[in-house]
Amino acid sequence: MADTCVNQDGCHSEEESSVAEETMFSMADMFLLSLIVGLLTYWFFFRKKKEETIEFKVQTTVASSSSRESSFVEKMKKTGKNIVVFYGSQTGTGEEFANRLAKDAHRYGMRGMSADPEEFEMVDLGRLKDIENSLAVFCMATYGEGDPTDNAQDFYDWLQEADVDLSGLNFAVFGLGNKTYEHFNAMGKYVDKRLEELGAERIFELGMGDDDGNLEEDFITWREQFWPAVCEHFGVEATGEESSIRQYELVVHTDENMNKVYTGEMGRLKSYEIQKPPFDAKNPFLGNVTVNRKLNQGGERHLMHLELDITGSKIRYESGDHVAVYPANESSIVNKLGELLGVDLDTVISLNNLDEESNKKHPFPCPTTYRTALTYYLDVTNPPRTNVLYELAQYATDPKEQETLRKMASSSSDGKALYLNWVLEARRNIVAILEDIPSLRPPLDHLCELLPRLQARYYSIASSSKVHSNSIHICAVVVEYETNGHKSSVPMYVRKSQFRLPFKPTTPVIMIGPGTGIAPFVGFIQEREWLKQQGKEVGETVLYYGCRHEHEDYLYKEELGKFHKDGVLTQLHVAFSRDQEEKVYVQHLLKKNKENMWKLINEENAHIYVCGDARYMARDVQNTFYDIVEEYGKMDHSQAVDYIKKLMTKGRYSQDVWS
């Protein structure tokens, strides 16, 4: 084009020097020349673009074929596996159960692998039948109000939209749930039902674990019936091998560069020294604790208000979201473990997966020290599960103590009762067990392999980002972190929630939150106050709060009083359950104001929010609303239940509850 332009410029200067030559070029000639130039330009550029596009498509195809690492079927073929156990896990239990089932497979002459559905193309389920005697097992936890866990969200979305033929796929599902929640085991039920709808064959009934009861016992009971069903289906027999099989091997580093050793980071090495957004579970932000004050004036529990500084983090949150905080184990417990097992806790180690093809190279970030692993990565405070006791039993040198450990890990009724009484109800952690069973002294590296990962703790955020854009407030039951005059920092990230204020500020809200259930409502009220200050019209803001004693554990008493006085909180109803002979709870106050409640719900389209204990409070509150709807809506009980269910479906009855 440059040459053509120069030529055009040359022609133009010749026009000015000779009129005779100008007559040689008629308008038709100029048009024709322009057309030729245009065609040449089009050919030169667009032909080239076309060629580049073809090349690009070829590259895309190549990239696609090389991404077969995301195919669990190819991986199984490569490693000789025929059983894959997928897990949907929020707190690590689903993953733990999946690992146990995958490990079980060798006892039946099979080879299993556990898999995170987030890491693989789940459309490959249709190809699993290409592997002989193949089976897909799903350990699916339900999060919150019937939702999938974070790592199973994409799989859930795919299942909803999938239009595939899964005939030939053998499957089984074990669900992890909690009966105190409205949608008990919703994810397990959905996966089980949907796979069958798509043509897959269920080889064993859906298992439904209940964390409100004894989840471990539910899993063991299901598992002991599951494997015989697998054997029958595939015509195989147990090999009788009951020996412990290590998943990881210990490597001790004697000359490791300490700059390459993990000191508590969840993902990237040195991520706590050089912080880079975005921040999430594998890359938490270190938030400085700027405020740590006690909320209650008396009582047995310590209820604290914490404020975490998030300045410069680019973390955004909404009222109702959750903040996840990574805890640390007390140094006294960690030191005791080292003392009992006679190990130098500052030894630098790695636990490397013996299966080189596994996506999970280590059980926690490695290399690290035993001290770091036991402080930041492993759960040493909760009672260990039966599989841990079973694996550890081999190290008890006293035959009677070994027998006791094996008995507790068995599925016999006596064994289950002993485990329930001696471990669960007594809240015996691994340190207490080692102290009470003197002959049990396992290698610390095997113990580190067996202990579950220390999980983040979730708290409802007790602030509004409209008012506190650079800090996140928490209402916590226990003091996790003490400032002691200097700044302490905690690894944290924000988890989005569906617990949201109505889109229209004029919509009335009814908030019910006893105890620490008040937390998200402090944020809600702050936001409604901010909206009023912006000149927006704000609807009725009603709070039902409950605690034991007015002068002991009335949380945020001054703040709530001021909100009420200023008219932001239009109604404040507080139930003090133990300040009188007869106990008074939030549901009793709801009944006292039932006519007003019905008016707000039925006539003014109010949104209802319930936060706190799922086992009793949330259920009792829901039953109270059934009664109100029955009485004032002139409905029978089943109609009232349907009415409330519809409010839930429309997002007008929301719960943020725990057991």
Side-chain angles (χ1 to χ4, degrees):
M1 189 184 237
D3 289 340
T4 309
C5 289
V6 168
N7 287 339
Q8 285 179 345
D9 288 341
C11 290
H12 187 65
S13 56
E14 284 178 23
E15 279 183 308
E16 293 174 342
S17 62
S18 175
V19 176
E21 281 186 31
E22 184 183 4
T23 57
M24 292 172 64
F25 291 90
S26 67
M27 287 297 290
D29 292 327
M30 288 298 294
F31 175 78
L32 187 61
L33 182 62
S34 299
L35 185 63
I36 292 166
V37 169
L39 286 168
L40 284 169
T41 304
Y42 176 86
W43 180 85
F44 183 80
F45 279 97
F46 286 83
R47 174 182 165 274
K48 191 171 182 182
K49 275 191 181 179
K50 248 185 183 177
E51 287 171 357
E52 287 170 356
T53 306
I54 292 166
E55 248 178 80
F56 177 74
K57 282 181 179 174
V58 170
Q59 287 173 347
T60 305
T61 309
V62 171
S64 174
S65 65
S66 68
S67 67
R68 296 189 85 114
E69 288 302 316
S70 64
S71 167
F72 65 87
V73 172
E74 294 303 315
K75 186 168 186 176
M76 289 171 74
K77 286 178 178 178
K78 192 176 177 182
T79 56
K81 305 284 198 319
N82 63 336
I83 294 180
V84 57
V85 191
F86 293 103
Y87 57 86
S89 186
Q90 197 70 27
T91 63
T93 309
E95 181 179 0
E96 185 189 329
F97 286 179
N99 288 335
R100 285 160 70 176
L101 288 171
K103 202 172 178 182
D104 280 343
H106 83 279
R107 294 175 185 158
Y108 304 93
M110 302 180 183
R111 293 192 68 193
M113 64 176 255
S114 61
D116 183 342
E118 197 171 34
E119 294 179 0
F120 294 101
E121 296 293 337
M122 297 306 286
V123 70
D124 264 7
L125 282 172
R127 295 178 52 225
L128 190 59
K129 61 188 175 188
D130 297 347
I131 297 174
E132 190 179 357
N133 287 354
S134 60
L135 170 65
V137 187
F138 299 83
C139 289
M140 308 305 295
T142 299
Y143 182 80
E145 294 304 305
D147 301 319
T149 57
D150 290 351
N151 78 308
Q153 183 67 56
D154 290 344
F155 173 46
Y156 175 71
D157 294 341
W158 176 77
L159 274 181
Q160 286 187 305
E161 299 163 10
D163 183 19
V164 293
D165 179 10
L166 295 184
S167 56
L169 170 69
N170 300 304
F171 80 94
V173 180
F174 182 81
L176 296 82
N178 189 307
K179 270 188 179 164
T180 58
Y181 286 77
E182 176 76 18
H183 305 282
F184 173 56
N185 256 315
M187 190 61 182
K189 290 174 183 173
Y190 178 75
V191 172
D192 183 71
K193 173 173 167 283
R194 185 66 179 135
L195 289 173
E196 185 180 46
E197 287 174 352
L198 293 172
E201 182 184 354
R202 182 189 299 104
I203 69 162
F204 190 60
E205 65 189 31
L206 168 67
M208 292 200 285
D210 178 18
D211 200 29
D212 186 49
N214 187 336
L215 186 58
E216 176 72 10
E217 186 177 322
D218 293 338
F219 176 67
I220 290 171
T221 303
W222 180 84
R223 176 174 162 239
E224 72 173 354
Q225 296 169 34
F226 164 73
W227 283 113
V230 172
C231 290
E232 185 180 345
H233 184 85
F234 293 116
V236 297
E237 290 183 12
T239 60
E241 291 180 32
E242 292 294 320
S243 59
S244 170
I245 292 182
R246 292 292 299 267
Q247 188 178 351
Y248 299 94
E249 66 174 347
L250 171 68
V251 175
V252 176
H253 304 279
T254 52
D255 56 351
E256 188 70 24
N257 179 347
M258 293 309 286
N259 283 324
K260 295 180 179 178
V261 175
Y262 283 87
T263 58
E265 305 94 325
M266 294 299 151
R268 181 173 53 86
L269 186 68
K270 303 295 178 188
S271 63
Y272 289 165
E273 291 178 23
I274 304 167
Q275 295 254 272
K276 294 177 183 176
F279 297 104
D280 54 25
K282 292 179 181 176
N283 181 38
F285 176 71
L286 285 179
N288 285 325
V289 180
T290 55
V291 174
N292 184 358
R293 65 182 169 89
K294 195 174 179 183
L295 286 170
N296 56 320
Q297 293 74 47
E300 298 168 2
R301 299 186 303 167
H302 292 281
L303 299 157
M304 308 302 297
H305 172 83
L306 301 173
E307 295 184 13
L308 307 178
D309 186 2
I310 56 169
T311 304
S313 67
K314 296 186 179 177
I315 290 174
R316 299 288 176 264
Y317 72 94
E318 298 290 332
S319 302
D321 282 343
H322 299 139
V323 60
V325 175
Y326 284 103
N329 292 316
E330 288 180 24
S331 57
S332 58
I333 295 176
V334 173
N335 290 336
K336 188 66 179 175
L337 258 176
E339 182 188 316
L340 285 166
L341 299 179
V343 174
D344 177 4
L345 294 177
D346 295 314
T347 304
V348 179
I349 60 134
S350 287
L351 287 181
N352 298 336
N353 203 318
L354 291 163
D355 179 358
E356 292 180 359
E357 297 297 326
S358 174
N359 284 17
K360 192 172 184 179
K361 302 301 179 189
H362 316 282
F364 44 76
C366 290
T368 189
T369 64
Y370 280 124
R371 187 183 304 282
T372 297
L374 294 169
T375 303
Y376 300 108
Y377 299 140
L378 298 170
D379 186 350
V380 298
T381 59
N382 280 313
R385 296 195 185 277
T386 55
N387 67 302
V388 177
L389 300 183
Y390 177 82
E391 296 273 2
L392 293 180
Q394 63 184 302
Y395 300 113
T397 53
D398 183 313
K400 284 187 178 179
E401 290 179 346
Q402 188 176 107
E403 186 186 342
T404 300
L405 286 165
R406 289 235 162 93
K407 185 178 181 181
M408 284 191 288
S410 74
S411 57
S412 70
S413 55
D414 286 352
K416 287 177 180 176
L418 183 60
Y419 174 74
L420 178 65
N421 176 262
W422 196 75
V423 179
L424 291 185
E425 291 178 352
R427 299 294 300 166
R428 267 189 176 81
N429 61 29
I430 190 62
V431 174
I433 287 170
L434 291 173
E435 286 177 322
D436 293 338
I437 304 181
S439 82
L440 178 61
R441 293 296 178 262
L444 185 51
D445 64 286
H446 197 180
L447 183 61
C448 288
E449 176 180 322
L450 293 170
L451 289 172
R453 282 291 295 266
L454 189 58
Q455 299 296 326
R457 295 176 187 175
Y458 293 87
Y459 300 95
S460 296
I461 295 176
S463 54
S464 166
S465 59
K466 301 283 194 300
V467 183
H468 301 282
S469 59
N470 289 321
S471 67
I472 285 176
H473 300 184
I474 302 172
C475 175
V477 176
V478 197
V479 187
E480 296 287 351
Y481 309 93
E482 293 186 13
T483 54
N484 294 327
H486 65 273
K487 280 190 175 182
S488 65
S489 56
V490 298
M492 48 78 69
Y493 65 95
V494 167
R495 188 185 194 279
K496 295 296 176 186
S497 164
Q498 299 303 313
F499 205 68
R500 288 278 184 268
L501 277 169
F503 180 72
K504 292 181 181 176
T506 52
T507 304
V509 296
I510 301 164
M511 304 170 290
I512 301 129
T516 55
I518 186 70
F521 302 137
V522 174
F524 278 14
I525 300 163
Q526 284 178 4
E527 189 146 328
R528 303 279 269 196
E529 180 182 50
W530 180 84
L531 287 165
K532 282 190 81 170
Q533 290 168 352
Q534 305 307 304
K536 300 279 175 67
E537 186 186 342
V538 175
E540 284 266 312
T541 306
V542 181
L543 174 66
Y544 285 85
Y545 173 67
C547 61
R548 293 179 181 181
H549 302 282
E550 183 176 5
H551 300 295
E552 273 190 13
D553 54 355
Y554 186 170
L555 309 183
Y556 298 105
K557 182 178 179 179
E558 290 75 21
E559 290 92 330
L560 294 177
K562 187 178 184 302
F563 284 136
H564 192 214
K565 185 183 174 185
D566 293 346
V568 180
L569 199 50
T570 49
Q571 292 182 43
L572 175 59
H573 306 279
V574 188
F576 304 109
S577 62
R578 316 260 171 109
D579 275 352
Q580 60 284 313
E581 194 175 327
E582 194 175 318
K583 289 181 181 175
V584 177
Y585 297 114
V586 284
Q587 62 267 25
H588 298 132
L589 300 187
L590 281 168
K591 281 179 184 174
K592 280 180 79 172
N593 300 304
K594 54 189 179 181
E595 190 172 354
N596 178 242
M597 287 298 96
W598 175 247
K599 181 177 178 292
L600 286 171
I601 298 163
N602 191 55
E603 294 178 23
E604 300 183 35
N605 296 316
H607 284 220
I608 301 165
Y609 300 90
V610 182
C611 183
D613 166 56
R615 189 181 284 110
Y616 302 113
M617 183 277 298
R619 183 192 61 202
D620 292 341
V621 165
Q622 199 164 317
N623 286 333
T624 301
F625 277 114
Y626 291 156
D627 293 341
I628 292 170
V629 172
E630 275 186 64
E631 183 177 348
Y632 289 92
K634 310 295 183 202
M635 303 179 197
D636 61 31
H637 184 70
S638 63
Q639 289 172 320
V641 169
D642 285 343
Y643 182 94
I644 295 297
K645 299 280 187 207
K646 281 177 185 170
L647 291 185
M648 290 177 174
T649 305
K650 291 175 182 175
R652 284 184 53 201
Y653 192 120
S654 303
Q655 298 184 94
D656 183 0
V657 294
W658 55 84
S659 60

